[in-house]
């Protein structure tokens, strides 16, 4: 019986395993050094905040794996020997495979800051990071202040986590406005204000120079590059993005760039070795996507696709229309299609913001054809399937604005803003 | 895993400490309860004054506590530290609260004398409530009046707390205003006022219009039906309304809106669970095992209640065959025909939607019920025996086991241990009927938003009915579950905007996807169709 070994028990690896099981009777083993069972990485924050216990983040009960004959092995893979199709573990054990799926995800970026490996300095990605945070920031008596470096999705989640326990947070953001490499200006500014409303000390256009330690080798303070200001703190969160977690592959023959290089079939240069999820890097970007997509949904889709290939139906990874979502403290964010931070050539943005400063949308369209290209929505839930359909049908922006209520996904009895949005849109157009 | 949990409880955390408002609120609220306990041992002279002080203190304490908790927070989800606080995570205070509540219910149901109930003049706690009861109905208080008053106060005060907590969510607010209204008006004030109409020649039974059979298991007891019939047109109207709610109004509303119209908008049990019990919703068991237990237990209670009610009604029809146009035999044949027909309709139209154990269960129970009716019908007119049981015995056994122990002692007393909807989930025969209909003949569903689910688990954790909502959401499947009471909290706590309670067309209501939206269209077609 063919033995499929998957390194990594995150959403990509587990989705691949589940779909391979649906399609075949192959022997499946999932290897992980992080946890015994699959958990939702995006939910780790809620464990620290006390919304959930760790076991609640596990989507399947523990009996699920045995019942579906998916073997789980806890261990750290040190190296891959392609010739004999053997994995070598850090404790000396070995495991043979017929087909290997690398789904090892990401690790937090570190940019060589002095002091970046001190005690009390951590990323927020692995379960071990959560345990570390619990150790160094259990409450606001033990941790008087935390500094977060890097204004992305994980940074703002870490800020929310720490502030849920009343720990003062200084949030260093390199950019002139929060996440404005991705979000258009109006949205980014609104989130800036929302962050400050949550009493976070938000420092824009601010870089970290170094992290200083006390005598015991634990974080004591940080120095800001621009001003030289020293901020006393007990915890430093490094959240300046993530990169593929592939150090153990470097000595193998598998081709790597920033991630494991794969073709559209998610195959590496070595036969029977595949890579999916955060750690996979496409030779060429697909459409407007990045070559490495460190997103929950794309990891899942790659797992679904690769399961087909492994089970004899070799197909390309062809993701549909881009979508994503996040939550910035209390403001939910969803995006469908492409809305870049600044309109590109032949593109224009329409921006609407509610006076309460917690809801806004940005619609991107083609100025020549009027084709609807994408929408960002904050504080208003919208329907994925409706936008997916409209994008496929290449609807024009007027149609989308007039039918926006069909896409509304807010709970019943919520106030609707479609008319207000449409009025603003029409007014803008008359002036233009 | 073990280490991290231990760390959390040992080191404590700041989000879980009380601020000044909460401390004062706790002191005042507990002060009110202490007054009530004190009244057990020493009768107050000025009852009106001390009862007012006690009730205002309890209400005010809860509101002050809520103000401290929510008033200076931005709109959003307020679940910080839920699993760190001992009261809401089965810790020490959870057990203290659970044992106290259970003790209160045991005394209330079985030892009302300890509370001061006395036909010759109440004393103690019940005596303290005499002035209020006389003011409303003209009669002295009973333990049920005391309970009803405290129940209403709890729903009102914790209802306001809940509205505060969900100040951004109009669905939650409207729903809560609705249960607060139905409890105060229909369950508490109107029946008391109606009691004023009673005289020597005219008498209506205590009647909460929204309390339907079979939740109200004594709705069609002989003495009640007699009282209704004897009370002329008004009584008859109430009786007809009672029957209509069961067979017409409730099925219609459940078809349009799901069982939520009752369970989380109208029902008193639901009202208490959603307000006072809100802090315990995360304690419900989400395992598949618990779901299996739930299906067997709740439907067994439903069958029990149908059998018991049939037995009771046919008994008094048998005693007074001249008094009613309906005879015992006609009634029994009618029940058998009705149940048989209902079963046939479900089997014919919805067989595919029933899981294997549901089919076995349905057949098994139908056979048992029809057999019981058959045994009785053919066993002649040994009137005291109903089926093979004594009707009176069956009735009081049901009242004790289901009415008192299950719905009260376990259902509410165990809030802090088993979660706030144990009764609704495992025991309520009304929820059983509405649930069957919601699963098979209703427009209600919880819609999943394409591929946006990140499997975080907030929805499942905060589902008071123990539904593993995530297991559907992560498959892009609508949630159509018999037990769902439509509280809307899964949708509220979802950080990615994935869930929405909706009423829509029956077609495609239950659909599973092997591959979620966002993937290659060809792949989605290939897999979802095959």
């Amino acid at each position: 019986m063919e033995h499929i070994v998957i390194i990594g028990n995150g959403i990509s690896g587990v989705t691949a395993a589940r779909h391979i099981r649906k399609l075949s009777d192959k022997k499946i083993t999932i290897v992980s050094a992080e946890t015994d069972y699959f958990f939702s990485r995006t939910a780790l924050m809620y464990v620290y905040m006390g919304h959930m216990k760790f076991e609640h983040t596990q989507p399947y009960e523990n009996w699920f794996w045995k019942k579906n004959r998916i073997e789980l092995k806890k261990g750290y893979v040190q190296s891959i020997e392609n010739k004999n199709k053997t994995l070598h573990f850090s404790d000396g054990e070995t495991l043979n495979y017929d087909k290997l799926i690398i789904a090892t995800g990401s690790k937090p970026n570190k940019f060589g800051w002095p002091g970046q490996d001190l005690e009390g300095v951590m990323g927020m990605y692995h379960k071990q990071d959560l345990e570390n945070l619990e150790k160094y920031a259990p409450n606001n008596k033990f941790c008087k202040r935390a500094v977060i470096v890097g204004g992305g999705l994980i940074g703002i989640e870490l800020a929310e986590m720490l502030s849920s326990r009343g720990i003062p947070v200084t949030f260093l953001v390199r950019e002139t406005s929060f996440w404005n490499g991705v979000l258009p200006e109006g949205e980014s500014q609104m989130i800036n204000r929302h962050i400050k409303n949550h009493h976070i000390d938000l420092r824009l256009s601010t870089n970290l120079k170094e992290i200083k330690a006390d005598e015991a080798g634990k974080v004591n303070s940080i120095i800001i590059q621009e001003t030289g200001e020293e901020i006393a703190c007990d915890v430093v969160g490094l959240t300046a993005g993530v990169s593929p977690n592939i150090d153990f592959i470097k000595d193998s023959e598998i081709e790597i760039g920033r991630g494991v290089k794969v073709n559209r079939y998610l195959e590496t240069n070595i036969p029977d070795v595949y890579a999916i999820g955060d750690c996979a890097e496409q030779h060429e970007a697909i459409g407007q996507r990045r070559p490495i997509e460190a997103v929950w949904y794309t990891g899942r889709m790659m797992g679904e696709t690769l399961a087909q290939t492994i089970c004899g139906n070799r197909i390309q990874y062809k993701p549909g229309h881009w979508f994503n979502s996040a939550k910035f403290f209390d403001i939910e964010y969803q995006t469908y299609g492409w809305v870049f931070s600044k309109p590109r050539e032949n593109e224009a943005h329409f921006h609407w913001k509610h006076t309460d400063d917690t809801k806004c949308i940005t619609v991107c369209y083609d100025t020549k054809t009027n084709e609807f290209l994408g929408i960002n929505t904050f504080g208003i839930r919208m329907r994925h399937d409706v936008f997916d359909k409209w994008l496929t049908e290449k609807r024009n922006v007027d149609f989308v604005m007039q039918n926006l209520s069909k896409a509304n996904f807010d709970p019943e009895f919520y106030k609707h803003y479609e008319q207000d949005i449409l009025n603003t849109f029409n007014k803008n157009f008359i002036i233009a | 895993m073990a280490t991290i949990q231990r760390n959390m409880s040992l080191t404590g955390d700041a989000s879980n400490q009380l601020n000044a408002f909460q401390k004062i609120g706790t002191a005042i609220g507990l002060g009110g309860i202490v007054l009530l306990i004190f009244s057990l041992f020493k009768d107050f002279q000025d009852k009106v004054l001390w009862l007012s002080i006690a009730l205002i203190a309890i209400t005010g304490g809860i509101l002050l506590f809520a103000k401290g908790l929510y008033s200076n927070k931005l709109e959003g989800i307020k679940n910080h530290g839920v699993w760190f606080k001992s009261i809401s995570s089965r810790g020490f205070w959870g057990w203290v609260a659970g044992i106290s509540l259970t003790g209160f219910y045991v005394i209330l149901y079985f030892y009302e004398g300890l509370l001061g109930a006395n036909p010759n003049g109440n004393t103690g706690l019940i005596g303290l409530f005499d002035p209020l009861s006389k003011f409303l109905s003209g009669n002295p208080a009973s333990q049920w009046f005391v309970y009803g008053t405290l129940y209403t106060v709890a729903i009102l005060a914790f209802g306001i707390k809940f509205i505060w907590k969900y100040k951004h969510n109009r669905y939650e607010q409207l729903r809560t205003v609705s249960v607060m209204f139905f409890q105060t008006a229909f369950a508490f004030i109107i029946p008391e006022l109606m009691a004023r109409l009673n005289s020597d020649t005219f008498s209506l039974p205590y009647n909460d219009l929204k309390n339907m059979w079979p939740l109200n298991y004594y709705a069609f007891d002989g003495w009640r039906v007699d009282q209704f019939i004897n009370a002329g047109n008004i009584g008859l109207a109430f009786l007809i309304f009672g029957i209509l709610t069961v067979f017409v109004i409730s099925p219609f509303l459940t078809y349009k809106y799901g069982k939520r119209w009752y369970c989380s908008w109208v029902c008193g049990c639901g009202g208490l669970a959603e307000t006072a019990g809100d802090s315990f919703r995360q304690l419900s068991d989400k395992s598949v095992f618990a779901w299996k237990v739930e299906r067997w237990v709740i439907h067994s209670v439903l069958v029990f209640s149908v059998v018991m009610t049939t037995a009771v009604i046919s008994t008094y029809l048998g005693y007074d065959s001249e008094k009613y146009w309906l005879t015992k035999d006609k009634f029994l044949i009618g029940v058998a025909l009705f149940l048989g027909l209902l079963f046939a309709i479900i089997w014919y139209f919805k067989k595919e939607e029933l899981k294997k154990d549901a089919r076995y269960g349905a057949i098994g129970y139908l056979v048992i019920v029809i057999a019981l009716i058959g045994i009785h019908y053919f066993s002649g007119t040994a009137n005291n025996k109903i089926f093979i049981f004594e009707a009176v015995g069956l009735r009081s056994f049901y009242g004790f086991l289901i009415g008192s122990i299950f719905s009260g002692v376990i259902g509410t007393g165990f809030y802090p241990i088993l979660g706030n909807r144990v009764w609704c989930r495992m025991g309520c025969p009304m929820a059983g009927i509405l649930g069957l209909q919601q699963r098979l003949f209703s427009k209600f569903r919880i819609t999943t938003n394409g591929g946006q689910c990140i499997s975080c688990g907030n929805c499942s954790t905060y589902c008071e009915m123990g539904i593993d909502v995530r297991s559907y959401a992560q498959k892009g499947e609508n949630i159509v579950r018999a037990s769902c009471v439509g509280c809307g909290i899964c949708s509220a706590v979802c950080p990615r905007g994935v869930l929405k309670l909706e009423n829509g067309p029956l077609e495609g209501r239950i659909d599973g996807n092997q591959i979620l939206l966002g993937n290659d269209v060809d792949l989605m077609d290939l897999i979802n169709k095959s």
Side-chain angles (χ1 to χ4, degrees):
Chain A
M1 197 169 24
E2 195 173 39
H3 187 194
I4 313 291
V5 175
I6 302 167
I7 311 178
N9 69 348
I11 179 66
S12 315
V14 163
T15 306
R18 282 177 41 241
H19 283 270
I20 293 169
R21 175 51 71 240
K22 277 178 205 228
L23 296 166
S24 75
D25 263 339
K26 296 179 199 294
K27 182 179 176 192
I28 303 170
T29 304
I30 300 180
V31 178
S32 170
E34 188 183 13
T35 52
D36 294 326
Y37 298 104
F38 170 50
F39 70 97
S40 174
R41 189 171 303 290
T42 48
L44 280 182
M45 62 183 293
Y46 298 108
V47 177
Y48 179 82
M49 286 158 64
H51 294 207
M52 290 194 276
K53 296 209 279 184
F54 180 74
E55 67 223 44
H56 296 127
T57 68
Q58 297 177 168
Y60 303 99
E61 289 184 62
N62 293 348
W63 49 259
F64 174 88
W65 309 100
K66 197 170 179 192
K67 187 185 166 216
N68 289 290
R69 289 169 292 122
I70 295 172
E71 286 179 35
L72 305 177
K73 176 170 172 56
K74 191 145 187 215
Y76 184 84
V77 176
Q78 204 152 45
S79 62
I80 303 170
E81 204 184 323
N82 299 123
K83 250 179 261 154
N84 314 329
K85 294 194 166 183
T86 307
L87 301 180
H88 293 270
F89 290 87
S90 57
D91 60 2
E93 274 191 62
T94 59
L95 182 69
N96 293 323
Y97 63 84
D98 295 309
K99 285 189 172 139
L100 179 67
I101 301 174
I102 301 168
T104 48
S106 302
K107 59 180 182 0
N109 284 335
K110 292 180 177 181
F111 290 110
W113 292 294
Q116 67 183 13
D117 295 315
L118 290 170
E119 273 187 60
V121 182
M122 62 199 75
M124 181 39 63
Y125 185 88
H126 293 104
K127 175 152 185 284
Q128 286 69 25
D129 293 326
L130 182 74
E131 285 162 7
N132 228 355
L133 189 67
E134 192 62 55
K135 184 175 162 196
Y136 290 103
N139 56 44
N140 60 8
K141 291 192 192 73
F142 195 82
C143 176
K144 300 268 192 298
R145 177 168 289 276
V147 173
I148 298 171
V149 183
L153 296 180
I154 300 181
I156 195 170
E157 286 181 355
L158 185 55
E160 184 180 359
M161 291 163 72
L162 291 160
S163 74
S164 79
R165 294 203 189 179
I167 296 171
V169 176
T170 298
F171 192 10
L172 308 187
V173 174
R174 187 184 56 181
E175 295 78 19
T176 54
S177 178
F178 175 78
W179 216 35
N180 67 357
V182 176
L183 300 180
E185 200 59 17
E187 301 171 350
S188 170
Q189 301 275 0
M190 186 181 87
I191 300 300
N192 288 342
R193 293 187 291 272
H194 188 63
I195 292 171
K196 287 180 187 163
N197 287 343
H198 275 277
H199 311 295
I200 304 295
D201 173 24
L202 176 66
R203 310 280 187 100
L204 299 171
S205 307
T206 303
N207 284 278
L208 173 69
K209 185 179 174 201
E210 65 169 305
I211 306 168
K212 289 184 145 183
D214 59 13
E215 305 84 48
K218 190 182 150 284
V219 173
N220 201 13
S221 67
I222 61 109
I223 308 284
I224 287 174
Q225 180 127 49
E226 285 75 9
T227 58
E229 183 188 351
E230 180 168 6
I231 298 174
C233 60
D234 300 295
V235 159
V236 173
L238 299 180
T239 58
V242 294
S243 45
N245 178 24
I246 53 166
D247 288 344
F248 70 104
I249 299 174
K250 287 188 171 142
D251 298 327
S252 76
E253 300 90 63
I254 300 168
E255 186 192 352
I256 56 170
R258 281 187 56 222
V260 181
K261 288 281 194 181
V262 294
N263 61 18
R264 287 294 293 270
Y265 296 91
L266 303 165
E267 298 160 340
T268 66
N269 59 320
I270 307 291
D272 296 332
V273 179
Y274 308 83
I276 53 175
D278 286 19
C279 69
E281 179 181 1
Q282 287 286 327
H283 288 293
E284 279 166 44
I286 301 169
Q288 319 216 43
R289 290 165 181 261
R290 299 173 190 194
I292 298 175
E293 293 183 307
V295 180
W296 177 270
Y297 316 102
T298 52
R300 188 181 63 207
M301 291 190 280
M302 288 186 220
E304 289 161 355
T305 309
L306 181 60
Q308 293 290 320
T309 299
I310 296 244
C311 296
N313 175 31
R314 185 167 178 261
I315 56 168
Q316 290 195 345
Y317 170 55
K318 273 202 313 190
H321 300 293
W322 171 255
F323 71 98
N324 201 1
S325 64
K327 193 174 182 188
F328 306 109
F329 284 92
D330 299 318
I331 300 181
E332 288 174 22
Y333 153 72
Q334 297 178 334
T335 183
Y336 302 105
W338 291 113
V339 182
F340 293 98
S341 58
K342 293 196 172 59
R344 307 204 289 191
E345 212 186 333
N346 300 326
E347 282 179 10
H349 284 177
F350 162 69
H351 183 65
W352 169 90
K353 186 165 73 66
H354 190 263
T355 46
D356 76 359
D357 210 24
T358 64
K359 301 170 193 80
C360 72
I361 66 163
T362 304
V363 173
C364 180
Y365 59 95
D366 188 306
T367 47
K368 286 194 169 153
T369 61
N370 257 359
E371 184 186 333
F372 166 74
L373 300 174
I375 185 168
N376 282 353
T377 169
F378 289 76
I380 303 174
R381 294 175 172 181
M382 299 208 188
R383 284 178 199 270
H384 186 178
D385 57 345
V386 170
F387 280 114
D388 196 78
K389 189 161 153 269
W390 287 346
L391 286 164
T392 302
E393 293 169 352
K394 296 188 182 299
R395 294 288 183 175
N396 67 38
V397 67
D398 302 276
F399 174 88
V400 170
M401 299 311 291
Q402 264 152 27
N403 291 280
L404 205 54
S405 61
K406 287 193 182 124
N408 187 292
F409 199 69
D410 270 338
E412 293 153 299
F413 304 116
Y414 267 43
K415 214 174 157 222
H416 281 242
Y417 305 98
E418 287 88 8
Q419 192 56 47
D420 189 26
I421 293 171
L422 183 63
N423 292 345
T424 314
F425 178 74
N426 289 337
K427 216 160 56 189
N428 282 14
F429 254 65
I430 291 162
I431 294 165
Chain B
M1 198 190 300
T3 335
I4 193 164
Q5 309 275 348
R6 197 158 54 236
N7 272 348
M8 283 175 172
S9 58
L10 273 184
T11 51
D13 89 280
S15 67
N16 157 14
Q17 282 163 11
L18 301 182
N19 60 31
F21 273 114
Q22 288 170 288
K23 284 174 188 162
I24 296 169
T26 306
I28 294 177
L30 285 181
I33 291 175
V34 166
L35 278 181
L36 294 183
I37 294 173
F38 187 73
S39 75
L40 289 171
F41 305 104
K42 187 167 177 3
D43 285 330
F44 288 110
Q45 287 305 309
D46 191 342
K47 290 191 167 114
V48 176
L49 176 72
W50 286 105
L51 178 63
S52 307
I53 292 177
L55 294 182
I56 290 169
I58 292 171
T59 312
I62 294 168
L63 295 184
L64 269 178
F65 191 92
K67 182 178 168 57
L69 204 50
Y70 305 126
S71 73
N72 61 349
K73 302 258 173 69
L74 296 179
E75 294 182 354
I77 295 304
K78 303 280 173 278
N79 287 334
H80 292 344
V82 162
W83 287 97
F84 303 146
K85 296 171 190 162
S86 74
I87 183 77
S88 56
S89 63
R90 290 193 201 99
F92 176 75
W93 288 112
W95 280 94
V96 168
I99 290 165
S100 312
L101 277 168
T102 309
F104 170 73
Y105 275 95
V106 169
I107 292 172
L108 179 77
Y109 280 115
F110 307 112
Y111 303 100
E112 70 273 14
L114 291 177
L115 300 176
N118 188 342
N120 305 320
N122 292 322
T123 56
L125 180 63
I126 297 177
L128 184 66
F129 280 73
D130 272 343
L132 182 61
S133 181
K134 282 179 182 147
F135 171 73
L136 286 169
S137 69
N139 303 318
S142 66
Q143 78 266 33
W144 303 119
F145 179 80
V146 172
Y147 179 52
T149 310
L150 294 177
Y151 199 101
T152 307
V153 166
I155 287 186
L156 290 177
F158 282 106
I160 294 172
K161 175 172 180 272
F162 188 81
I163 289 172
W164 220 325
K165 181 178 180 184
Y166 284 99
K167 55 185 166 188
H168 62 290
N169 191 319
R170 279 187 71 199
Y171 180 77
E172 298 305 334
Q173 294 181 330
L174 289 175
R175 185 170 72 70
T176 305
V177 169
S178 173
V179 290
M180 288 162 74
F181 165 76
F182 277 102
Q183 174 60 32
T184 314
F186 280 64
F188 185 60
I189 294 181
I190 293 176
E192 294 292 338
L193 292 182
M194 270 175 21
R196 285 188 169 270
L197 299 175
N198 288 352
S199 63
D200 292 341
T201 53
F202 178 86
S203 170
L204 277 174
Y206 187 93
N207 190 28
D208 172 359
L209 279 173
K210 67 173 176 54
N211 197 8
M212 300 154 56
W213 180 89
L215 175 58
N216 178 357
Y217 56 89
Y218 46 82
F220 299 116
D221 278 10
W223 60 272
R224 271 178 70 95
V225 173
D226 285 347
Q227 272 188 321
F228 277 130
I229 291 173
N230 295 336
N233 287 339
I234 300 178
L236 208 57
F238 279 131
L239 187 60
I240 291 171
F241 182 77
I243 296 169
L244 278 181
T245 47
V246 178
F247 292 103
V248 180
I249 298 173
S250 163
F252 176 73
L253 290 173
T254 309
Y255 170 73
K256 286 205 61 124
Y257 307 112
K259 78 198 247 191
R260 57 182 172 153
W261 79 267
Y262 192 74
C263 295
S264 64
W265 283 74
V266 171
C267 178
C269 300
L272 191 72
E274 294 291 346
T275 52
D278 173 58
S279 306
F280 310 110
R281 58 173 58 250
Q282 66 281 355
L283 301 174
S284 60
D285 190 337
K286 276 71 177 190
S287 66
V288 170
F289 174 75
W291 182 19
K292 279 185 185 152
V293 172
E294 165 198 318
R295 291 200 300 254
W296 281 103
V297 174
I298 190 170
H299 294 121
S300 301
V301 173
L302 174 58
V303 169
F304 186 10
S305 102
V306 170
V307 168
M308 184 273 291
T309 307
T310 310
V312 167
I313 294 177
S314 67
T315 307
Y316 66 75
L317 289 180
Y319 281 143
D320 303 307
S321 43
E322 308 86 48
K323 196 161 147 195
Y324 310 99
W325 59 268
L326 195 62
T327 66
K328 181 175 128 187
D329 289 349
K330 277 187 200 153
F331 174 74
L332 286 176
I333 293 170
V335 170
L337 278 179
F338 178 77
L339 291 176
L341 193 65
L342 193 65
F343 179 85
I345 290 172
I346 292 174
W347 203 256
Y348 184 76
F349 289 105
K350 299 285 175 176
K351 186 180 167 191
E352 299 311 315
E353 290 176 23
L354 295 175
K355 292 220 167 77
K356 207 161 98 186
D357 63 340
R359 292 184 194 179
Y360 290 152
I363 297 173
Y365 278 134
L366 185 78
V367 169
I368 291 173
V369 173
I370 301 289
L372 283 173
I373 292 175
I375 288 171
H376 176 68
Y377 185 72
F378 293 112
S379 69
T381 48
N383 254 328
N384 281 343
K385 287 262 169 115
I386 283 305
F387 308 144
I388 44 180
F389 316 104
E390 195 93 23
V392 183
L394 200 64
R395 164 69 175 70
S396 61
F397 183 60
Y398 185 93
F400 169 75
L401 191 71
I402 308 298
S404 307
I405 298 291
F406 207 156
S407 77
V409 179
I410 297 176
T412 312
F414 286 16
Y415 268 11
I417 309 302
L418 300 173
N420 57 334
R421 284 276 195 178
V422 180
W423 160 247
C424 314
R425 178 185 182 190
M426 302 277 183
C428 177
M430 179 81 208
I433 293 183
L434 296 176
L436 280 175
Q437 202 201 328
Q438 169 161 284
R439 182 77 178 77
L440 300 174
F441 306 102
S442 169
K443 296 161 87 75
F444 173 71
R445 86 289 311 273
I446 303 176
T447 311
T448 304
N449 198 8
Q452 289 279 26
C453 176
I454 52 169
S455 302
C456 72
N458 273 295
C459 51
S460 296
T461 304
Y462 287 92
C463 177
E464 55 191 353
M465 298 304 281
I467 299 171
D468 189 359
V469 183
R470 164 175 57 192
S471 68
Y472 300 86
Q474 67 189 359
K475 285 188 283 189
E477 194 173 331
N478 288 347
I479 295 109
V480 182
R481 277 279 290 269
S483 63
C484 175
V485 292
C487 72
I489 295 295
C490 57
S491 163
V493 298
C494 176
R496 294 293 186 271
V498 174
L499 300 162
K500 178 171 163 62
L501 282 63
E502 287 189 283
N503 313 306
L506 290 179
E507 195 156 310
R509 196 167 77 110
I510 306 170
D511 57 341
N513 290 319
Q514 294 297 321
I515 298 283
L516 287 122
L517 195 59
N519 220 316
D520 173 17
V521 184
D522 301 335
L523 179 64
M524 285 164 58
D525 281 353
L526 171 77
I527 298 183
N528 291 335
K529 273 179 190 148
S530 65

